[in-house]
Amino acid sequence: MRCQFLSLLAAVGVAALPAANDYDYCQRDDLYKSLKQDGEDFCSMLLDPECYTTINTPIEYATYDAGKLSSYCSCIYEPCHHDTTSSVAVPLPTTGTDTTSAQSSSVSLSPQNSTSFPLPDSLPTQTPAPGPPWSAANTTLLTPTTSTPLGNVTITIIPAPTSSGTGISTLTIIPGNSTSSQGTNATSTAATIVTTTTAIKATATPTPFLAANFTGVLRGPAPDSQACHYLPAALVGAAHAATLQNEEIRQRNLSLAFPYVGSVSFDSDDVRPLYLSVRDAAKGSHLIDVSDSSAVTIFDAKNNSLRLDVSGIHFVTGNCNLTVSYLIDNMYTQLAQQSRETCSLGPKTLLAGDQTFLQPLVLRDQCGDPVGPMVRKYPDLRLDGEQCVCVGAADANGTWTFSCPWQTSGSTVQRCVSSLQRNVVQFLLYDPFNGGCADVSSVVTLLEASAQDMFNATSLQEELYRQVGNNTNLFYKADDTVMYYMQLWESLKSSLSKTRGLNPGRGSNVKQYLDTYNSYRSFAADACMSLNSSSAPAVLSLSAGSSNIPMLASLSEIPAPGSVLTAIIQDPAKIACCPHGGLAVTGPANGTCSYPAEALVPGTGCICGKTASQQSVAFKYRQCDNFVSQCQTDSDCTTAGYAGHLCLIGSCCGKGVCFDPFECSRPEVLLLPGSG
């Protein structure tokens, strides 16, 4: 018997629901995020109206068009697909007698097991416990009298306080812990019926799986680290989608390979790619996550996912249940042995169009001396956060030479182009994956040939049936999940397996698509230019010793060969030389002795003074009697038994005093302005 539903559902026809693999309806806007986070109950009702007697639209969604709501919901949640109901009478257990009869008749559960059972004429009573301290009235908090499990639903009976109340006549349990009830007014002891709907959760543990071509394989639910997979999100705001000129390419070349890249989504900086939208010949979409070089993950429109990482193969639903993992010991080493390929794990080869430049850098410490390789905290030169490599150790003049990667610098468009080549093209097609020999495309190719017993509907179904146990009503859910998982694997193979390429011998379909695209246009340039990124200079930063210089230079183009930069850094192993050594003066008005403001090192208790040898060196302020000795020259301090101390002159003590010149040479004392 089909359930009645609200007029809202009548307005939402099947035609309003988007295709399972079409992302055009699924913009990641505020509505999407709200439904994803809080709308599972509502979406479940909206997508499967035949499963519910009533549907309540939350107030925050009341202003949206019904078609839009159903489209968004279908992108996020799966329909329940309940097509059978049953009815069984179950008596509620009783543990006592009540002197007042409650007006209660039955409890009904929907969907799936439409179970109903009569409530007794008199509900059990129990001695009331003390009421909570916040209770405004003489209301008591009572404990459960009984709990009755019914499939994946538990019914708990709690007697209510004796008062004029509402008896429960009908209770309807809706998936997602939403409960609606109908009551009758009565002066009686009413019963509160608390329902707990248990989500489908795997309780099985991984067990050995006898794979034909791999050893050390376990099959089971995904481990906690893989229990949920999420598309990478932008650091600020929404991801930026870059469009491509596929139609123009298709008009020039009718053999454009499928699947092809429909769009590329970037982080908010318009530089770091997050994921690709890959479209097949039927215009279905899947998303390939390229944000993490240690894993490759493909998502469908329902956020079901398949991930390959260092631990093995992981299938996860968008709701993070009914997961399957194959945990494989040394998976990529085993693949390398099967592949018979040779590869080098040496330095990464630069991509075509990538550029580096040599940057000479002269370093001086706070005392003006050349900085050598013994400096504490080796110099770290970076271009827009990308590390430059030291290729020339410091000479006697303190000149260091660094090789800097211009491909990640320059204008935002230039950096985007190089980032896309490195993090998408190189990552998917060329770079060794997870320490093995093979790249991602080769890994998929090898798994297609040697892991058929794992990427197999029967194997996946066996594992999911094992997880749901004797609950045969969940087998339909497992079967649907297997179908989604196999579609993900098929899409990944179609995209990246070298055996699936449109033209044999030319690599995967994605590689052939990129080759074709780049023969007419530039894939990376088109994607990055479509973001309308503004040009921004690259920033060269330096940290060395205890100094951090956030902007050593700003570069709008590659520096000319031989362009030398100079920087002064603070070396904590040297004495506390400072730039503004001053002498104390006595104010004519009040006769107070003090140092000029520019001699103070703010927030440190250190003052930049003058030594007998006219060096500017910082000393720790203290009362005159607390200096260790008086002096006229630096050597006087040594003679007095304070080797290494210097003689401070021009202080408020009237005579020279000996001080420790290293006392203010600490990392937290910023002797050089702008070096913090």
Side-chain angles (χ1 to χ4, degrees):
M1 173 179 175
R2 293 181 59 84
C3 309
Q4 300 296 319
F5 50 94
L6 294 181
S7 59
L8 170 65
L9 270 295
V12 183
V14 174
L17 300 176
N21 286 328
D22 198 336
Y23 275 86
D24 294 339
Y25 298 87
C26 302
Q27 300 180 30
R28 267 57 172 179
D29 54 15
D30 291 341
L31 175 59
Y32 179 92
K33 294 176 182 177
S34 176
L35 289 169
K36 180 68 175 175
Q37 181 175 351
D38 304 314
E40 181 174 3
D41 296 345
F42 173 61
C43 281
S44 297
M45 292 185 283
L46 197 62
L47 294 178
D48 275 308
E50 69 273 15
C51 298
Y52 302 92
T53 57
T54 60
I55 298 176
N56 297 319
T57 302
I59 187 65
E60 60 265 33
Y61 307 134
T63 59
Y64 288 99
D65 175 76
K68 183 174 184 177
L69 287 171
S70 63
S71 296
Y72 275 63
C73 284
S74 64
C75 295
I76 302 171
Y77 300 106
E78 300 175 17
C80 70
H81 299 306
H82 295 297
D83 52 6
T84 61
T85 59
S86 61
S87 182
V88 46
V90 181
L92 277 178
T94 60
T95 59
T97 306
D98 188 8
T99 57
T100 307
S101 175
Q103 302 297 318
S104 304
S105 58
S106 69
V107 175
S108 62
L109 289 76
S110 65
Q112 188 171 302
N113 289 332
S114 183
T115 306
S116 62
F117 50 87
L119 293 182
D121 291 336
S122 60
L123 290 169
T125 61
Q126 192 153 3
T127 303
W134 58 84
S135 176
N138 187 20
T139 303
T140 56
L141 185 63
L142 297 148
T143 56
T145 61
T146 183
S147 293
T148 303
L150 295 172
N152 68 329
V153 178
T154 299
I155 308 299
T156 302
I157 307 299
I158 301 177
T162 303
S163 62
S164 296
T166 301
I168 303 296
S169 63
T170 302
L171 177 70
T172 302
I173 301 173
I174 298 175
N177 299 328
S178 293
T179 305
S180 66
S181 61
Q182 299 174 353
T184 59
N185 292 326
T187 302
S188 65
T189 301
T192 301
I193 302 182
V194 180
T195 68
T196 303
T197 302
T198 305
I200 301 170
K201 182 175 178 60
T203 56
T205 56
T207 57
F209 180 82
L210 185 61
N213 299 304
F214 293 87
T215 60
V217 181
L218 296 176
R219 185 185 68 181
D224 290 343
S225 61
Q226 302 294 333
C228 285
H229 295 158
Y230 301 102
L231 274 175
L235 293 177
V236 179
H240 297 174
T243 57
L244 297 158
Q245 302 300 319
N246 290 313
E247 288 306 316
E248 179 183 335
I249 302 298
R250 187 173 287 106
Q251 290 172 5
R252 295 188 183 189
N253 191 315
L254 297 178
S255 62
L256 186 66
F258 285 93
Y260 66 90
V261 180
S263 64
V264 184
S265 292
F266 286 85
D267 202 346
S268 49
D269 62 0
D270 291 341
V271 171
R272 184 174 73 99
L274 300 176
Y275 49 88
L276 311 178
S277 172
V278 178
R279 289 186 171 270
D280 57 33
K283 296 185 178 181
S285 275
H286 287 82
L287 303 181
I288 299 178
D289 181 354
V290 294
S291 67
D292 180 3
S293 61
S294 68
V296 60
T297 311
I298 185 168
F299 294 85
D300 65 16
K302 297 179 179 297
N303 287 326
N304 302 312
S305 59
L306 161 60
R307 172 172 292 174
L308 309 178
D309 71 358
V310 69
S311 64
I313 304 160
H314 312 282
F315 293 92
V316 176
T317 66
N319 293 325
C320 307
N321 56 23
L322 290 179
T323 63
V324 178
S325 281
Y326 295 95
L327 305 176
I328 305 172
D329 288 343
N330 301 312
M331 171 176 165
Y332 299 97
T333 300
Q334 294 191 53
L335 284 174
Q337 293 170 351
Q338 296 174 23
S339 69
R340 301 177 185 176
E341 295 181 4
T342 59
C343 62
S344 171
L345 297 181
K348 184 190 290 194
T349 304
L350 289 175
L351 293 167
D354 282 356
Q355 294 175 290
T356 61
F357 65 92
L358 294 179
Q359 179 60 66
L361 178 62
V362 178
L363 292 180
R364 296 282 188 269
D365 63 25
Q366 65 267 28
C367 296
D369 299 325
V371 174
M374 298 302 292
V375 63
R376 299 177 186 176
K377 190 176 181 184
Y378 211 71
D380 183 7
L381 186 67
R382 293 178 178 263
L383 192 63
D384 278 350
E386 194 82 8
Q387 188 173 35
C388 300
V389 179
C390 180
V391 295
D395 59 17
N397 191 42
T399 301
W400 301 66
T401 303
F402 295 87
S403 175
C404 297
W406 183 254
Q407 68 265 20
T408 56
S409 58
S411 72
T412 305
V413 172
Q414 289 173 318
R415 284 177 283 156
C416 170
V417 167
S418 296
S419 178
L420 192 59
Q421 289 176 322
R422 185 174 60 258
N423 296 313
V424 174
V425 180
Q426 193 84 353
F427 166 58
L428 293 177
L429 304 179
Y430 300 107
D431 281 348
F433 182 55
N434 271 328
C437 175
D439 53 69
V440 171
S441 181
S442 296
V443 166
V444 174
T445 306
L446 291 168
L447 288 174
E448 181 182 18
S450 60
Q452 298 177 15
D453 49 353
M454 289 182 279
F455 291 100
N456 178 285
T458 300
S459 176
L460 294 171
Q461 188 180 60
E462 285 176 356
E463 173 57 30
L464 294 183
Y465 280 11
R466 186 171 74 96
Q467 292 179 24
V468 301
N470 295 326
N471 194 342
T472 56
N473 294 310
L474 294 178
F475 283 179
Y476 80 92
K477 176 74 172 177
D479 292 342
D480 283 355
T481 301
V482 169
M483 177 188 68
Y484 293 131
Y485 287 165
M486 293 305 297
Q487 287 175 347
L488 286 166
W489 172 230
E490 187 63 33
S491 182
L492 190 64
K493 289 188 298 183
S494 298
S495 300
L496 294 174
S497 173
K498 297 177 181 179
T499 65
R500 299 296 185 99
L502 178 65
N503 299 299
R506 290 177 50 191
S508 66
N509 279 317
V510 165
K511 182 180 184 300
Q512 292 187 33
Y513 159 78
L514 292 172
D515 290 344
T516 301
Y517 196 108
N518 288 329
S519 67
Y520 293 108
R521 301 180 62 89
S522 170
F523 169 80
D526 282 352
C528 295
M529 291 296 294
S530 76
L531 297 175
N532 297 314
S533 301
S534 59
S535 205
V539 174
L540 201 62
S541 60
L542 173 68
S543 62
S546 55
S547 294
N548 292 299
I549 305 174
M551 182 178 287
L552 179 64
S554 179
L555 306 176
S556 57
E557 58 185 11
I558 294 181
S563 299
V564 179
L565 292 173
T566 301
I568 300 175
I569 63 109
Q570 184 174 331
D571 184 352
K574 302 293 289 290
I575 66 173
C577 297
C578 49
H580 303 294
L583 301 175
V585 295
T586 301
N590 54 18
T592 301
C593 180
S594 63
Y595 277 84
E598 60 268 19
L600 305 180
V601 183
T604 65
C606 293
I607 299 172
C608 190
K610 285 285 188 181
T611 68
S613 58
Q614 295 300 303
Q615 283 185 283
S616 293
V617 181
F619 66 95
K620 186 73 172 179
Y621 173 80
R622 53 176 48 88
Q623 296 294 323
C624 293
D625 290 343
N626 292 327
F627 284 98
V628 293
S629 181
Q630 294 183 348
C631 58
Q632 290 183 339
T633 65
D634 292 338
S635 61
D636 291 342
C637 297
T638 302
T639 302
Y642 299 100
H645 281 50
L646 298 179
C647 184
L648 176 68
I649 63 171
S651 70
C652 294
C653 297
K655 295 181 180 181
V657 289
C658 296
F659 74 101
D660 180 358
F662 291 93
E663 193 172 17
C664 287
S665 186
R666 306 188 305 272
E668 66 271 18
V669 178
L670 301 181
L671 300 171
L672 303 172
S675 65

